[in-house]
Amino acid sequence: MATANETKTSSYRVIGTRPIRHDGVDKVTGRAVYGNDVQLPGLLYGRVLRSPHAHARIRSIDTTKAEKLPGVFAVISSADIDPHESKMAELGEGSVNLQYLCENVLARKKVLYKGHAVAAVAAVNAHVAEEALKLIEVDYDPLHAVTWVLDAMKDDAPILIDDLKTEGAPLPHSKGPTNIAQHIVFSKGDIEKGFAEADVIIEREFKSATVHQGYIEPHVATALWSPDGHLSIWASTQGSFTCRQQTAELLALPVSKVTVTPCEIGGGFGGKIRVYIEPIAALLSKKSGRPVKVLMNRADVFESTGPTPGSFIRVKLGAKRDGRLVAGDAWMAYDAGAYPAGIIGPGCVCVFSCYDLPNARVEGFDVVLNKPQTAAYRAPGSTNAAFACETVIEELAEKLGIDPIEFRLKNAAKEGTRRPDGPAYPVIGLVETLKTAKAHPHYSATLEGPNRGRGVGCGFWMNAGLKSSVTAHVNGDGTVTLVEGSTDIGGTRTSIAMQLAETLGITAEEVVPRVVDTDSVGYTDVTGGSRTTFATGWAAHDAAIDIVKQMSARAAEFWKCSPDEVTFDRGLFSSKSHALTFKELAGKIQETGGTITGRASVEAKGVGATFGTHIVDVEVDPETGKVKILRYTAVQDCGRVIHPSYAEGQIQGGVVQGIGWALNEEYVYDADGRMRNASMLDYRMPTAVDVPTIEPVMVEVPNPRHPYGVRGVGEVPICPPPAAIGAAIYNAIGIRMYELPMSPPKVCQAIINEASAK
Amino acid sequence: MATKTPVSTTINGEPVEFLCEPRQSLLEVLRDTLHLTGAKEGCNNGNCGACTVILNGVAVDSCLVLGVEVEGAEVTTVEGLACRNELHPIQQCFLEDAALQCGICTPGFLVAAKALLDKIPNPTEEQIRFHLAGNICRCTGYDKIVKAVQHAAQEMAK
Ligand code: FES
Ligand code: FES
């Protein structure tokens, strides 16, 4: 690839290097203040009472006994929050229906899932708060629950929301109440004609279980509702402004009356965008007149936050004998959870996004059922879809006798390819990842031994742009203080600071990045959609340009020349007869008119999508069905890499989450719709012994529309693992798995079924 | 409310006395009573390792230890790793090798790694992975953590 950015590569001084992150020392010494580390004088501890039923009407709630317990300062239920009508509030990355948000925060007439919040207590310590919860009397009228997406779509399914209307494409046979919140149809070309031309057609059905983001830090929020009516919140949130807006809307406050301070955050992956306990902490503070910290326990996290959708997907693909895909048809039903959630939308976009399909149709359903309202999880909707599409791609390649990477190369999306949902791709790097994977020694390495196999898989994520603001103050010692609103979940202070430093010709260490509260910086959307290094980095670049402009004018003043005569290159201001480094000039700005502040607010367009191609070797234990990962290589187009270590870390972390999703993680439900494994022991996430080194291979196809060529890197690495591992299992033992997770009992059962069928 | 018991112990080399209820965990005492908030609460039932401390030379989940149990004991928390203003090699290597993303698991890993290197100064990759299996990291995929521990072992051998 030879883009304008590419030719600049060698001249970068900061981008592509590996400085130590600015918040590093605080985080290795235990000093960094995470949400649960907030301490305020007079702090009370809040706990939430949650529904033991998956679906029930609330007849009554009696809090009298709890209120009388010594040490209890406030008890609240939905009676303490005014109802909202069904109205959408814009949140930047998506929007939210205020009625549903309000009822999810505190159930009103019905509980819709086990773990649904019903009431809350603030007390002198957590133990007293928990004792008080036991004294709250809730009279429930249990109803039938439904937790499997296809069951929830049936005509006789229990209905969760009586007045739910299906959004989007009309349903052919809809009559009366429904659990279908959204119906999506995308189409391109003529699939009938396409399948008629196909020499080989394969159609398969796929199930995936509900999985959780699994961040190690539980949700936590501290609120102080001051007598002057101002509400301050210290939160563990991916987006302080999004948190502010949701809380303000729910509590009917103007946004200017709410200040959200984003604490250090212990992981989010999409699950810390919607508010759960922030409004509860606020109401408890209002009622008690004291600051209140509400912390979830781990069961709360599993049962009432996240998760990402379980799904049913049917994929049919047709190809010509020469290996060209001619048609694709996908039918996809995703869990919405208790309230509409819409992750089906990106699922439908992603299912065929890696391939150039002349004829395609995608139909999707967002289905309400008795699970917590689903939330984004790293490339939301894409992993379920990739598992389905990529597995059918593998089967087609096998049937046609074509190498699986070669088959993908023949059909790979490239610049100009139009996706079934409409947009045509700008410059993308799928082909580059496929070629790099094919040439990688892993792909040609011999893999010996019984029950071992190799698989490949691809994945796609669209990434987000959205709004970011920064201000940058030039200090007299030549450093720059960079004030930003993006929660730093994985080193973005540094990746943003590096773009400012590159533009100003200073070092990363000469930038002092600060993530501040919602009163101290301009509006900034969530850290999500792999957008932070891309969009907030872009804002930092623009703020640096603003600084250069102002400093050039100062230099001109100093040198008594016209500003046009001042040039700036890599940290050096010069005119025909003078030159000053950035640092030297910074030392003189107080003599030439005072402080210089650069600022920028961007609404970043020109988002660059990201693709990955992964190779995995597995060994299957035929006795137990346990799948061991022997070797893993993840090739990804990262666009221009700003900080290689943290880009690699995103890939490695995403892959390991994908391995967990593929092999172990699932919500196990009983017949009454209760989750039976709401602990980190029973919900089995990968540990250090479960995975080998994940080798990241970064291909750089710069995004031509970003000043430094950045694409988001964080999300796509979770998409390929389930399909790639499924392919590897097939190549190891000759059995295709169509259900996630491919956990030992399921693999074992498949082996037994296969043996008895012979 | 339950009555409180006085406890005398040593934390990070300093004698410490505190009062605690019998039902309070060591994690709760460290965080809420002593304001040593470096140990994190991820699960409060021994499954994540974010609360790891060294108790009489052994890495333990402080959420599974009662405050009253540390009478006369020696406790090391993440706050006790650095020597005045000098980072411990494990801390330095975590920084240099980018072994943290969100950082919530980091105190637990640092403490668990210290307990390991105190016992086995030159562990194999397998030993590192095995000894750190009680600590969950959801962000990094473990590779950079394992490499940082190997790197620290080399530094400490110098
Ligand atoms: S908080 Fe102690 S092990 Fe998770
Ligand atoms: S760095 Fe986030 S959990 Fe380990």
Side-chain angles (χ1 to χ4, degrees), chain B residues 72-152:
Chain B
E74 291 213 19
V75 179
T76 304
T77 71
V78 70
E79 288 91 345
L81 294 191
C83 183
R84 296 180 192 275
N85 255 354
E86 198 174 317
L87 295 180
H88 189 282
I90 304 174
Q91 292 172 309
Q92 188 61 35
C93 291
F94 265 59
L95 288 184
E96 287 172 13
D97 302 343
L100 56 145
Q101 285 178 30
C102 80
I104 196 83
C105 69
T106 308
F109 272 99
L110 291 168
V111 171
K114 177 169 192 305
L116 166 63
L117 296 182
D118 285 348
K119 207 166 71 177
I120 310 174
N122 194 11
T124 61
E125 174 177 347
E126 211 178 331
Q127 284 173 316
I128 295 173
R129 287 185 181 271
F130 179 79
H131 275 87
L132 299 181
N135 294 70
I136 300 180
C137 172
R138 192 60 160 171
C139 299
T140 64
Y142 302 105
D143 175 56
K144 289 187 191 299
I145 295 176
V146 172
K147 296 224 162 81
V149 176
Q150 285 171 323
H151 183 186

Side-chain angles (χ1 to χ4, degrees), chain A residues 21 28 34 36-37 127 131 212-214 216 298 377 489 645-646 648-649 652-653 665 685-686 688 691 693, chain B residues 23 28 31 37 40-42 47 91 95 98 100-104 110 129 138-144:
Chain A
R21 60 194 282 173
V28 298
Y34 289 81
N36 196 23
D37 304 333
H127 300 283
E131 280 171 28
H212 197 274
Q213 293 77 352
I216 304 302
R298 185 49 57 175
Y377 176 24
I489 313 188
S645 300
Y646 288 99
E648 288 161 3
Q652 294 176 318
E665 295 180 35
M685 302 197 284
V691 289
T693 288
Chain B
R23 63 184 172 184
E28 190 181 341
R31 292 182 51 82
T37 54
K40 302 299 180 198
E41 175 179 329
N47 295 328
Q91 292 172 309
L95 288 184
L100 56 145
Q101 285 178 30
C102 80
I104 196 83
L110 291 168
R129 287 185 181 271
R138 192 60 160 171
C139 299
T140 64
Y142 302 105
D143 175 56
K144 289 187 191 299

Side-chain angles (χ1 to χ4, degrees), chain A residues 249-438:
Chain A
E249 296 262 14
L250 284 184
L251 303 175
L253 293 169
V255 287
S256 58
K257 288 277 181 207
V258 182
T259 304
V260 175
T261 302
C263 300
E264 297 309 324
I265 179 173
F269 312 109
K272 289 183 182 164
I273 298 173
R274 183 184 300 141
V275 294
Y276 298 95
I277 49 177
E278 293 82 351
I280 290 178
L283 290 167
L284 288 170
S285 175
K286 188 180 188 189
K287 208 161 185 174
S288 64
R290 300 265 291 261
V292 179
K293 185 198 283 180
V294 179
L295 171 70
M296 286 196 189
N297 64 35
R298 185 49 57 175
D300 293 350
V301 173
F302 278 118
E303 293 184 333
S304 27
T305 74
T308 215
S311 61
F312 173 88
I313 301 176
R314 191 185 311 121
V315 163
K316 178 175 167 188
L317 284 169
K320 306 279 280 180
R321 208 159 287 119
D322 65 3
R324 226 165 13 88
L325 288 169
V326 284
D329 190 5
W331 190 97
M332 313 167 70
Y334 276 33
D335 293 350
Y339 300 100
I343 293 169
I344 188 63
C348 289
V349 168
C350 292
V351 65
F352 292 140
S353 52
C354 290
Y355 302 103
D356 185 359
L357 282 175
N359 307 290
R361 185 172 188 280
V362 180
E363 183 170 14
F365 301 86
D366 190 33
V367 184
V368 167
L369 38 52
N370 298 107
K371 294 179 179 177
Q373 184 184 21
T374 56
Y377 176 24
R378 207 164 201 154
S382 187
T383 304
N384 314 47
F387 175 56
C389 176
E390 290 294 294
T391 303
V392 177
I393 289 282
E394 280 288 315
E395 289 195 55
L396 274 175
E398 188 196 19
K399 200 146 186 193
L400 293 164
I402 305 175
D403 168 85
I405 294 190
E406 206 43 56
F407 181 59
R408 286 173 171 91
L409 272 169
K410 276 180 194 289
N411 295 289
K414 38 184 103 54
E415 184 173 1
T417 301
R418 191 164 284 287
R419 277 201 316 255
D421 57 307
Y425 287 117
V427 177
I428 53 172
L430 174 59
V431 168
E432 286 78 355
T433 68
L434 284 163
K435 287 186 175 159
T436 306
K438 197 162 181 218

